[in-house]
Every structure is written in C-alpha cells, then in structure tokens.
Amino acid sequence: MNWLHSVSYFFGGLFLANAVPHFVSGIMGRAFQSPFAKPPGKGLSSSIVNVLWGFTNFILAYLLLLRVGRFDLRSLSCIAPLAIGALLISLQLAKHFGEFHGGNAPERR
C-alpha cells in the first residue's frame, strides 16, 4: 500500500470521528461549539450549523477513505491509520469539549 493512502485513511478517521459530536448535537437541536462560532471553537453555533459541519466532515471522511486507494475493512494496514486518526482526534475533542461541558472534572457538577 502506498504511504499516501495511509495518510489519507488517517485523516479520514479524523474527519469521521469529528463529524459525530457536531452532527449528533445538531440533530438533537442543541447549540454546540464549532469552528464558525465566535470565538471559534469556544462559542456556540446553532444546531443547523452543526448539522452542516458534521455532514461536511462525513463527506470528507468518505472521500478520503473510499475514493483514495482501495480501502479494505478487513485489512489491518487500512484500519490501523483510520483507528489511530479517530482515536487521537477523539481524545483531543474529549479534552476540548470537556472544558465546556464538565467532562474534564465530573466531580464539580
């Protein structure tokens, strides 16, 4: 496998994991942080903006995972970069959003 395919699958996993909190918050009708809020990443954006941002992330993940190379769900060389990208952005998102929603210090709630 070409190393550029691994890089593509890494970023595909990253966009796939990033899509989840924005899309879910949006379809639940909740305002949530987004890059379009003021200040970016800290203020709240509307549920519509979050649905659109989450859906954009799903499209980017699709393009990077299924339009670059030959992605095989049973291949460790395909899944590993995706999983690493998804795990790293998920930990970063948990830390970042935890500051705003109490996830970093649950005993304070």
Tab-separated table of all heavy atoms in Angstrom, residues 49-108:
chain	number	residue	atom	x	y	z
A	49	VAL	N	-25.999	24.868	11.881
A	49	VAL	CA	-24.572	24.972	11.527
A	49	VAL	C	-23.850	23.682	11.895
A	49	VAL	O	-23.013	23.177	11.140
A	49	VAL	CB	-23.927	26.191	12.231
A	49	VAL	CG1	-22.411	26.152	12.116
A	49	VAL	CG2	-24.466	27.478	11.647
A	50	ASN	N	-24.185	23.111	13.048
A	50	ASN	CA	-23.523	21.872	13.467
A	50	ASN	C	-23.902	20.681	12.590
A	50	ASN	O	-23.052	19.841	12.301
A	50	ASN	CB	-23.805	21.583	14.937
A	50	ASN	CG	-22.810	22.293	15.820
A	50	ASN	OD1	-21.652	21.905	15.878
A	50	ASN	ND2	-23.236	23.359	16.475
A	51	VAL	N	-25.153	20.614	12.150
A	51	VAL	CA	-25.526	19.531	11.226
A	51	VAL	C	-24.735	19.673	9.927
A	51	VAL	O	-24.187	18.697	9.404
A	51	VAL	CB	-27.046	19.538	10.945
A	51	VAL	CG1	-27.383	18.667	9.743
A	51	VAL	CG2	-27.799	19.047	12.158
A	52	LEU	N	-24.665	20.901	9.403
A	52	LEU	CA	-23.931	21.118	8.148
A	52	LEU	C	-22.438	20.826	8.312
A	52	LEU	O	-21.815	20.222	7.434
A	52	LEU	CB	-24.150	22.553	7.649
A	52	LEU	CG	-25.579	22.865	7.210
A	52	LEU	CD1	-25.729	24.348	6.909
A	52	LEU	CD2	-25.966	22.024	6.000
A	53	TRP	N	-21.855	21.232	9.444
A	53	TRP	CA	-20.435	20.978	9.696
A	53	TRP	C	-20.179	19.479	9.877
A	53	TRP	O	-19.225	18.926	9.338
A	53	TRP	CB	-19.953	21.776	10.906
A	53	TRP	CG	-18.507	21.571	11.221
A	53	TRP	CD1	-17.989	21.179	12.419
A	53	TRP	CD2	-17.382	21.749	10.350
A	53	TRP	NE1	-16.620	21.094	12.339
A	53	TRP	CE2	-16.223	21.440	11.087
A	53	TRP	CE3	-17.251	22.135	9.021
A	53	TRP	CZ2	-14.933	21.496	10.535
A	53	TRP	CZ3	-15.977	22.194	8.467
A	53	TRP	CH2	-14.843	21.878	9.229
A	54	GLY	N	-21.049	18.816	10.612
A	54	GLY	CA	-20.898	17.370	10.792
A	54	GLY	C	-21.034	16.629	9.476
A	54	GLY	O	-20.260	15.722	9.169
A	55	PHE	N	-22.003	17.025	8.659
A	55	PHE	CA	-22.203	16.378	7.366
A	55	PHE	C	-21.019	16.623	6.435
A	55	PHE	O	-20.607	15.722	5.698
A	55	PHE	CB	-23.505	16.869	6.735
A	55	PHE	CG	-24.008	15.963	5.655
A	55	PHE	CD1	-24.641	14.783	5.973
A	55	PHE	CD2	-23.828	16.285	4.321
A	55	PHE	CE1	-25.094	13.926	4.983
A	55	PHE	CE2	-24.271	15.444	3.322
A	55	PHE	CZ	-24.907	14.258	3.654
A	56	THR	N	-20.463	17.820	6.489
A	56	THR	CA	-19.261	18.111	5.690
A	56	THR	C	-18.119	17.194	6.104
A	56	THR	O	-17.378	16.682	5.255
A	56	THR	CB	-18.861	19.590	5.859
A	56	THR	OG1	-19.938	20.399	5.425
A	56	THR	CG2	-17.605	19.919	5.077
A	57	ASN	N	-17.980	16.966	7.394
A	57	ASN	CA	-16.933	16.051	7.885
A	57	ASN	C	-17.189	14.624	7.398
A	57	ASN	O	-16.250	13.913	7.063
A	57	ASN	CB	-16.852	16.095	9.410
A	57	ASN	CG	-16.011	17.238	9.898
A	57	ASN	OD1	-14.821	17.087	10.129
A	57	ASN	ND2	-16.618	18.417	10.028
A	58	PHE	N	-18.446	14.192	7.378
A	58	PHE	CA	-18.766	12.858	6.848
A	58	PHE	C	-18.375	12.747	5.369
A	58	PHE	O	-17.831	11.727	4.937
A	58	PHE	CB	-20.262	12.551	7.000
A	58	PHE	CG	-20.667	12.096	8.367
A	58	PHE	CD1	-21.731	12.683	9.022
A	58	PHE	CD2	-19.996	11.064	9.005
A	58	PHE	CE1	-22.114	12.268	10.291
A	58	PHE	CE2	-20.375	10.629	10.279
A	58	PHE	CZ	-21.434	11.240	10.916
A	59	ILE	N	-18.640	13.782	4.607
A	59	ILE	CA	-18.293	13.760	3.179
A	59	ILE	C	-16.779	13.692	3.005
A	59	ILE	O	-16.273	12.909	2.184
A	59	ILE	CB	-18.884	14.993	2.459
A	59	ILE	CG1	-20.405	14.868	2.401
A	59	ILE	CG2	-18.286	15.155	1.056
A	59	ILE	CD1	-21.104	16.111	1.912
A	60	LEU	N	-16.056	14.506	3.772
A	60	LEU	CA	-14.578	14.475	3.680
A	60	LEU	C	-14.047	13.095	4.065
A	60	LEU	O	-13.124	12.580	3.417
A	60	LEU	CB	-13.974	15.564	4.567
A	60	LEU	CG	-14.221	16.995	4.095
A	60	LEU	CD1	-13.758	17.998	5.150
A	60	LEU	CD2	-13.526	17.247	2.773
A	61	ALA	N	-14.622	12.495	5.111
A	61	ALA	CA	-14.197	11.148	5.512
A	61	ALA	C	-14.466	10.143	4.398
A	61	ALA	O	-13.616	9.309	4.082
A	61	ALA	CB	-14.911	10.734	6.797
A	62	TYR	N	-15.626	10.244	3.799
A	62	TYR	CA	-15.966	9.349	2.687
A	62	TYR	C	-14.957	9.482	1.550
A	62	TYR	O	-14.445	8.476	1.039
A	62	TYR	CB	-17.375	9.664	2.181
A	62	TYR	CG	-17.685	9.041	0.852
A	62	TYR	CD1	-17.990	7.694	0.742
A	62	TYR	CD2	-17.637	9.806	-0.321
A	62	TYR	CE1	-18.252	7.117	-0.492
A	62	TYR	CE2	-17.898	9.242	-1.553
A	62	TYR	CZ	-18.206	7.899	-1.633
A	62	TYR	OH	-18.448	7.330	-2.857
A	63	LEU	N	-14.671	10.711	1.171
A	63	LEU	CA	-13.738	10.925	0.060
A	63	LEU	C	-12.346	10.381	0.387
A	63	LEU	O	-11.703	9.749	-0.464
A	63	LEU	CB	-13.662	12.416	-0.282
A	63	LEU	CG	-14.935	13.023	-0.860
A	63	LEU	CD1	-14.794	14.534	-0.989
A	63	LEU	CD2	-15.277	12.395	-2.198
A	64	LEU	N	-11.874	10.617	1.605
A	64	LEU	CA	-10.525	10.174	1.975
A	64	LEU	C	-10.450	8.665	2.178
A	64	LEU	O	-9.405	8.056	1.928
A	64	LEU	CB	-10.079	10.895	3.251
A	64	LEU	CG	-9.784	12.382	3.074
A	64	LEU	CD1	-9.627	13.067	4.429
A	64	LEU	CD2	-8.550	12.590	2.220
A	65	LEU	N	-11.528	8.058	2.637
A	65	LEU	CA	-11.490	6.611	2.912
A	65	LEU	C	-11.844	5.767	1.691
A	65	LEU	O	-11.246	4.707	1.474
A	65	LEU	CB	-12.448	6.270	4.058
A	65	LEU	CG	-12.077	6.849	5.414
A	65	LEU	CD1	-13.186	6.596	6.421
A	65	LEU	CD2	-10.769	6.273	5.906
A	66	LEU	N	-12.797	6.206	0.934
A	66	LEU	CA	-13.314	5.329	-0.124
A	66	LEU	C	-12.991	5.785	-1.539
A	66	LEU	O	-13.283	5.066	-2.491
A	66	LEU	CB	-14.829	5.173	0.041
A	66	LEU	CG	-15.256	4.560	1.377
A	66	LEU	CD1	-16.762	4.492	1.480
A	66	LEU	CD2	-14.640	3.181	1.560
A	67	ARG	N	-12.390	6.955	-1.687
A	67	ARG	CA	-12.029	7.433	-3.020
A	67	ARG	C	-10.523	7.493	-3.233
A	67	ARG	O	-10.070	7.905	-4.298
A	67	ARG	CB	-12.642	8.814	-3.284
A	67	ARG	CG	-14.134	8.791	-3.396
A	67	ARG	CD	-14.524	7.975	-4.567
A	67	ARG	NE	-15.938	8.123	-4.847
A	67	ARG	CZ	-16.536	7.491	-5.833
A	67	ARG	NH1	-15.853	6.685	-6.611
A	67	ARG	NH2	-17.813	7.643	-6.048
A	68	VAL	N	-9.760	7.108	-2.216
A	68	VAL	CA	-8.304	7.084	-2.330
A	68	VAL	C	-7.860	5.640	-2.133
A	68	VAL	O	-8.142	5.031	-1.103
A	68	VAL	CB	-7.640	7.999	-1.271
A	68	VAL	CG1	-6.133	7.881	-1.342
A	68	VAL	CG2	-8.082	9.438	-1.464
A	69	GLY	N	-7.198	5.094	-3.094
A	69	GLY	CA	-6.707	3.718	-2.992
A	69	GLY	C	-7.849	2.728	-2.941
A	69	GLY	O	-8.948	2.991	-3.414
A	70	ARG	N	-7.558	1.571	-2.343
A	70	ARG	CA	-8.571	0.521	-2.195
A	70	ARG	C	-8.720	0.209	-0.712
A	70	ARG	O	-7.993	-0.629	-0.174
A	70	ARG	CB	-8.160	-0.731	-2.948
A	70	ARG	CG	-8.183	-0.581	-4.419
A	70	ARG	CD	-7.902	-1.920	-5.073
A	70	ARG	NE	-8.318	-1.882	-6.451
A	70	ARG	CZ	-9.519	-2.307	-6.877
A	70	ARG	NH1	-10.375	-2.811	-6.036
A	70	ARG	NH2	-9.817	-2.240	-8.145
A	71	PHE	N	-9.626	0.897	-0.042
A	71	PHE	CA	-9.833	0.711	1.392
A	71	PHE	C	-10.535	-0.618	1.631
A	71	PHE	O	-11.570	-0.903	1.035
A	71	PHE	CB	-10.667	1.854	1.972
A	71	PHE	CG	-10.785	1.792	3.462
A	71	PHE	CD1	-9.775	2.271	4.266
A	71	PHE	CD2	-11.900	1.247	4.067
A	71	PHE	CE1	-9.872	2.209	5.642
A	71	PHE	CE2	-12.016	1.179	5.439
A	71	PHE	CZ	-10.993	1.662	6.234
A	72	ASP	N	-9.938	-1.441	2.512
A	72	ASP	CA	-10.495	-2.751	2.841
A	72	ASP	C	-10.696	-2.822	4.356
A	72	ASP	O	-9.731	-2.724	5.125
A	72	ASP	CB	-9.543	-3.848	2.374
A	72	ASP	CG	-10.065	-5.248	2.644
A	72	ASP	OD1	-11.209	-5.388	3.126
A	72	ASP	OD2	-9.315	-6.198	2.369
A	73	LEU	N	-11.945	-3.018	4.798
A	73	LEU	CA	-12.239	-3.077	6.233
A	73	LEU	C	-11.535	-4.229	6.934
A	73	LEU	O	-11.320	-4.195	8.138
A	73	LEU	CB	-13.748	-3.209	6.463
A	73	LEU	CG	-14.547	-1.914	6.428
A	73	LEU	CD1	-16.034	-2.214	6.515
A	73	LEU	CD2	-14.133	-0.982	7.530
A	74	ARG	N	-11.167	-5.266	6.215
A	74	ARG	CA	-10.507	-6.427	6.814
A	74	ARG	C	-8.997	-6.322	6.828
A	74	ARG	O	-8.318	-7.199	7.354
A	74	ARG	CB	-10.923	-7.690	6.065
A	74	ARG	CG	-12.391	-7.944	6.184
A	74	ARG	CD	-12.766	-9.180	5.460
A	74	ARG	NE	-14.215	-9.341	5.541
A	74	ARG	CZ	-14.881	-10.311	4.997
A	74	ARG	NH1	-14.243	-11.244	4.318
A	74	ARG	NH2	-16.168	-10.373	5.113
A	75	SER	N	-8.482	-5.265	6.246
A	75	SER	CA	-7.030	-5.092	6.176
A	75	SER	C	-6.540	-4.230	7.332
A	75	SER	O	-6.966	-3.079	7.490
A	75	SER	CB	-6.656	-4.438	4.846
A	75	SER	OG	-5.300	-4.064	4.856
A	76	LEU	N	-5.630	-4.778	8.118
A	76	LEU	CA	-5.057	-4.024	9.237
A	76	LEU	C	-4.307	-2.790	8.745
A	76	LEU	O	-4.326	-1.747	9.397
A	76	LEU	CB	-4.123	-4.916	10.054
A	76	LEU	CG	-3.564	-4.296	11.324
A	76	LEU	CD1	-4.685	-3.892	12.278
A	76	LEU	CD2	-2.607	-5.245	12.005
A	77	SER	N	-3.675	-2.886	7.583
A	77	SER	CA	-2.936	-1.735	7.057
A	77	SER	C	-3.879	-0.603	6.653
A	77	SER	O	-3.439	0.541	6.539
A	77	SER	CB	-2.049	-2.153	5.876
A	77	SER	OG	-2.842	-2.593	4.797
A	78	CYS	N	-5.161	-0.886	6.444
A	78	CYS	CA	-6.145	0.163	6.157
A	78	CYS	C	-6.805	0.663	7.445
A	78	CYS	O	-7.003	1.861	7.627
A	78	CYS	CB	-7.229	-0.354	5.212
A	78	CYS	SG	-6.663	-0.721	3.562
A	79	ILE	N	-7.145	-0.271	8.331
A	79	ILE	CA	-7.878	0.088	9.550
A	79	ILE	C	-6.991	0.808	10.567
A	79	ILE	O	-7.449	1.721	11.258
A	79	ILE	CB	-8.499	-1.182	10.178
A	79	ILE	CG1	-9.648	-1.671	9.308
A	79	ILE	CG2	-8.971	-0.952	11.600
A	79	ILE	CD1	-10.818	-0.725	9.230
A	80	ALA	N	-5.724	0.402	10.676
A	80	ALA	CA	-4.854	0.995	11.697
A	80	ALA	C	-4.722	2.512	11.559
A	80	ALA	O	-4.914	3.231	12.558
A	80	ALA	CB	-3.485	0.321	11.680
A	81	PRO	N	-4.421	3.049	10.371
A	81	PRO	CA	-4.336	4.521	10.283
A	81	PRO	C	-5.665	5.193	10.579
A	81	PRO	O	-5.696	6.239	11.241
A	81	PRO	CB	-3.904	4.780	8.834
A	81	PRO	CG	-3.447	3.492	8.293
A	81	PRO	CD	-4.049	2.406	9.111
A	82	LEU	N	-6.767	4.608	10.125
A	82	LEU	CA	-8.091	5.167	10.418
A	82	LEU	C	-8.328	5.186	11.923
A	82	LEU	O	-8.746	6.202	12.486
A	82	LEU	CB	-9.172	4.332	9.726
A	82	LEU	CG	-10.616	4.777	9.905
A	82	LEU	CD1	-11.434	4.334	8.712
A	82	LEU	CD2	-11.242	4.263	11.175
A	83	ALA	N	-8.050	4.064	12.600
A	83	ALA	CA	-8.286	3.967	14.043
A	83	ALA	C	-7.402	4.943	14.814
A	83	ALA	O	-7.865	5.579	15.777
A	83	ALA	CB	-8.043	2.535	14.514
A	84	ILE	N	-6.157	5.073	14.415
A	84	ILE	CA	-5.241	5.997	15.104
A	84	ILE	C	-5.727	7.434	14.928
A	84	ILE	O	-5.775	8.211	15.893
A	84	ILE	CB	-3.803	5.823	14.590
A	84	ILE	CG1	-3.265	4.454	15.023
A	84	ILE	CG2	-2.903	6.945	15.093
A	84	ILE	CD1	-1.964	4.055	14.347
A	85	GLY	N	-6.113	7.802	13.721
A	85	GLY	CA	-6.632	9.155	13.484
A	85	GLY	C	-7.899	9.408	14.288
A	85	GLY	O	-8.054	10.462	14.911
A	86	ALA	N	-8.803	8.434	14.302
A	86	ALA	CA	-10.060	8.597	15.045
A	86	ALA	C	-9.799	8.682	16.545
A	86	ALA	O	-10.412	9.505	17.242
A	86	ALA	CB	-11.007	7.442	14.732
A	87	LEU	N	-8.891	7.860	17.055
A	87	LEU	CA	-8.594	7.876	18.491
A	87	LEU	C	-7.957	9.196	18.914
A	87	LEU	O	-8.354	9.799	19.914
A	87	LEU	CB	-7.679	6.709	18.857
A	87	LEU	CG	-7.229	6.665	20.317
A	87	LEU	CD1	-8.431	6.492	21.246
A	87	LEU	CD2	-6.216	5.558	20.533
A	88	LEU	N	-6.967	9.657	18.140
A	88	LEU	CA	-6.278	10.895	18.519
A	88	LEU	C	-7.219	12.095	18.514
A	88	LEU	O	-7.210	12.898	19.450
A	88	LEU	CB	-5.083	11.138	17.591
A	88	LEU	CG	-3.921	10.160	17.749
A	88	LEU	CD1	-2.820	10.466	16.740
A	88	LEU	CD2	-3.369	10.189	19.162
A	89	ILE	N	-8.051	12.232	17.479
A	89	ILE	CA	-8.966	13.384	17.462
A	89	ILE	C	-10.042	13.221	18.527
A	89	ILE	O	-10.488	14.211	19.119
A	89	ILE	CB	-9.575	13.620	16.055
A	89	ILE	CG1	-10.240	14.998	15.983
A	89	ILE	CG2	-10.594	12.565	15.709
A	89	ILE	CD1	-9.308	16.153	16.051
A	90	SER	N	-10.444	11.993	18.823
A	90	SER	CA	-11.458	11.784	19.862
A	90	SER	C	-10.925	12.202	21.230
A	90	SER	O	-11.644	12.835	22.014
A	90	SER	CB	-11.878	10.310	19.904
A	90	SER	OG	-12.510	9.952	18.705
A	91	LEU	N	-9.675	11.860	21.527
A	91	LEU	CA	-9.087	12.280	22.804
A	91	LEU	C	-8.966	13.798	22.866
A	91	LEU	O	-9.238	14.414	23.900
A	91	LEU	CB	-7.720	11.615	22.989
A	91	LEU	CG	-7.756	10.095	23.196
A	91	LEU	CD1	-6.343	9.523	23.170
A	91	LEU	CD2	-8.460	9.737	24.485
A	92	GLN	N	-8.552	14.404	21.754
A	92	GLN	CA	-8.433	15.864	21.708
A	92	GLN	C	-9.800	16.524	21.869
A	92	GLN	O	-9.955	17.504	22.592
A	92	GLN	CB	-7.774	16.304	20.393
A	92	GLN	CG	-7.713	17.801	20.204
A	92	GLN	CD	-6.942	18.511	21.304
A	92	GLN	OE1	-5.984	17.976	21.836
A	92	GLN	NE2	-7.365	19.709	21.647
A	93	LEU	N	-10.813	15.985	21.200
A	93	LEU	CA	-12.164	16.547	21.314
A	93	LEU	C	-12.714	16.368	22.722
A	93	LEU	O	-13.384	17.263	23.251
A	93	LEU	CB	-13.103	15.893	20.295
A	93	LEU	CG	-12.832	16.208	18.824
A	93	LEU	CD1	-13.747	15.381	17.931
A	93	LEU	CD2	-12.983	17.683	18.534
A	94	ALA	N	-12.447	15.226	23.342
A	94	ALA	CA	-12.916	14.990	24.711
A	94	ALA	C	-12.312	16.018	25.663
A	94	ALA	O	-13.006	16.568	26.525
A	94	ALA	CB	-12.562	13.572	25.151
A	95	LYS	N	-11.033	16.288	25.482
A	95	LYS	CA	-10.371	17.289	26.336
A	95	LYS	C	-10.925	18.685	26.068
A	95	LYS	O	-11.249	19.433	26.991
A	95	LYS	CB	-8.862	17.260	26.089
A	95	LYS	CG	-8.095	18.213	26.939
A	95	LYS	CD	-6.608	18.128	26.671
A	95	LYS	CE	-5.884	19.169	27.496
A	95	LYS	NZ	-4.484	19.282	27.125
A	96	HIS	N	-11.044	19.033	24.783
A	96	HIS	CA	-11.503	20.378	24.413
A	96	HIS	C	-12.959	20.610	24.829
A	96	HIS	O	-13.268	21.593	25.500
A	96	HIS	CB	-11.345	20.573	22.901
A	96	HIS	CG	-11.837	21.900	22.420
A	96	HIS	ND1	-11.169	23.070	22.689
A	96	HIS	CD2	-12.946	22.244	21.715
A	96	HIS	CE1	-11.837	24.080	22.156
A	96	HIS	NE2	-12.915	23.601	21.562
A	97	PHE	N	-13.846	19.730	24.445
A	97	PHE	CA	-15.262	19.916	24.774
A	97	PHE	C	-15.530	19.658	26.246
A	97	PHE	O	-16.498	20.180	26.802
A	97	PHE	CB	-16.143	19.023	23.902
A	97	PHE	CG	-16.115	19.399	22.440
A	97	PHE	CD1	-16.011	18.426	21.465
A	97	PHE	CD2	-16.181	20.719	22.042
A	97	PHE	CE1	-15.975	18.760	20.123
A	97	PHE	CE2	-16.139	21.065	20.703
A	97	PHE	CZ	-16.040	20.083	19.734
A	98	GLY	N	-14.675	18.867	26.891
A	98	GLY	CA	-14.811	18.623	28.321
A	98	GLY	C	-14.661	19.896	29.139
A	98	GLY	O	-15.249	20.028	30.211
A	99	GLU	N	-13.882	20.862	28.614
A	99	GLU	CA	-13.732	22.146	29.303
A	99	GLU	C	-15.063	22.884	29.382
A	99	GLU	O	-15.326	23.601	30.330
A	99	GLU	CB	-12.733	23.037	28.552
A	99	GLU	CG	-11.320	22.537	28.570
A	99	GLU	CD	-10.402	23.410	27.747
A	99	GLU	OE1	-10.740	24.595	27.500
A	99	GLU	OE2	-9.349	22.900	27.335
A	100	PHE	N	-15.898	22.720	28.364
A	100	PHE	CA	-17.148	23.472	28.287
A	100	PHE	C	-18.339	22.724	28.877
A	100	PHE	O	-19.330	23.335	29.252
A	100	PHE	CB	-17.464	23.816	26.820
A	100	PHE	CG	-16.362	24.571	26.158
A	100	PHE	CD1	-15.533	23.941	25.241
A	100	PHE	CD2	-16.131	25.898	26.467
A	100	PHE	CE1	-14.512	24.634	24.625
A	100	PHE	CE2	-15.105	26.602	25.858
A	100	PHE	CZ	-14.288	25.968	24.936
A	101	HIS	N	-18.252	21.419	28.912
A	101	HIS	CA	-19.408	20.621	29.330
A	101	HIS	C	-19.150	19.829	30.608
A	101	HIS	O	-19.932	18.948	30.940
A	101	HIS	CB	-19.831	19.682	28.194
A	101	HIS	CG	-20.156	20.432	26.937
A	101	HIS	ND1	-21.351	21.093	26.754
A	101	HIS	CD2	-19.422	20.668	25.819
A	101	HIS	CE1	-21.345	21.684	25.575
A	101	HIS	NE2	-20.178	21.436	24.984
A	102	GLY	N	-18.056	20.100	31.300
A	102	GLY	CA	-17.794	19.474	32.583
A	102	GLY	C	-17.213	18.076	32.512
A	102	GLY	O	-17.086	17.419	33.543
A	103	GLY	N	-16.821	17.626	31.342
A	103	GLY	CA	-16.304	16.268	31.215
A	103	GLY	C	-14.904	16.081	31.767
A	103	GLY	O	-14.505	14.960	32.076
A	104	ASN	N	-14.155	17.171	31.920
A	104	ASN	CA	-12.784	17.041	32.416
A	104	ASN	C	-12.731	16.941	33.934
A	104	ASN	O	-11.752	16.470	34.489
A	104	ASN	CB	-11.931	18.229	31.948
A	104	ASN	CG	-11.710	18.188	30.449
A	104	ASN	OD1	-11.970	17.179	29.801
A	104	ASN	ND2	-11.255	19.289	29.898
A	105	ALA	N	-13.755	17.413	34.611
A	105	ALA	CA	-13.800	17.358	36.067
A	105	ALA	C	-15.233	17.036	36.492
A	105	ALA	O	-15.955	17.908	36.983
A	105	ALA	CB	-13.340	18.686	36.670
A	106	PRO	N	-15.680	15.803	36.289
A	106	PRO	CA	-17.085	15.479	36.556
A	106	PRO	C	-17.493	15.633	38.014
A	106	PRO	O	-18.673	15.819	38.302
A	106	PRO	CB	-17.205	14.025	36.109
A	106	PRO	CG	-15.822	13.496	36.074
A	106	PRO	CD	-14.929	14.665	35.831
A	107	GLU	N	-16.553	15.629	38.966
A	107	GLU	CA	-16.926	15.753	40.376
A	107	GLU	C	-17.406	17.152	40.727
A	107	GLU	O	-18.055	17.364	41.736
A	107	GLU	CB	-15.746	15.354	41.281
A	107	GLU	CG	-14.551	16.267	41.206
A	107	GLU	CD	-13.612	15.936	40.054
A	107	GLU	OE1	-13.833	14.942	39.349
A	107	GLU	OE2	-12.658	16.698	39.846
A	108	ARG	N	-17.097	18.167	39.884
A	108	ARG	CA	-17.526	19.535	40.144
A	108	ARG	C	-19.001	19.751	39.856
A	108	ARG	O	-19.567	20.726	40.269
A	108	ARG	CB	-16.709	20.506	39.281
A	108	ARG	CG	-15.304	20.633	39.727
A	108	ARG	CD	-14.648	21.763	38.979
A	108	ARG	NE	-13.217	21.510	38.902
A	108	ARG	CZ	-12.409	22.083	38.072
A	108	ARG	NH1	-12.865	22.958	37.216
A	108	ARG	NH2	-11.136	21.809	38.056
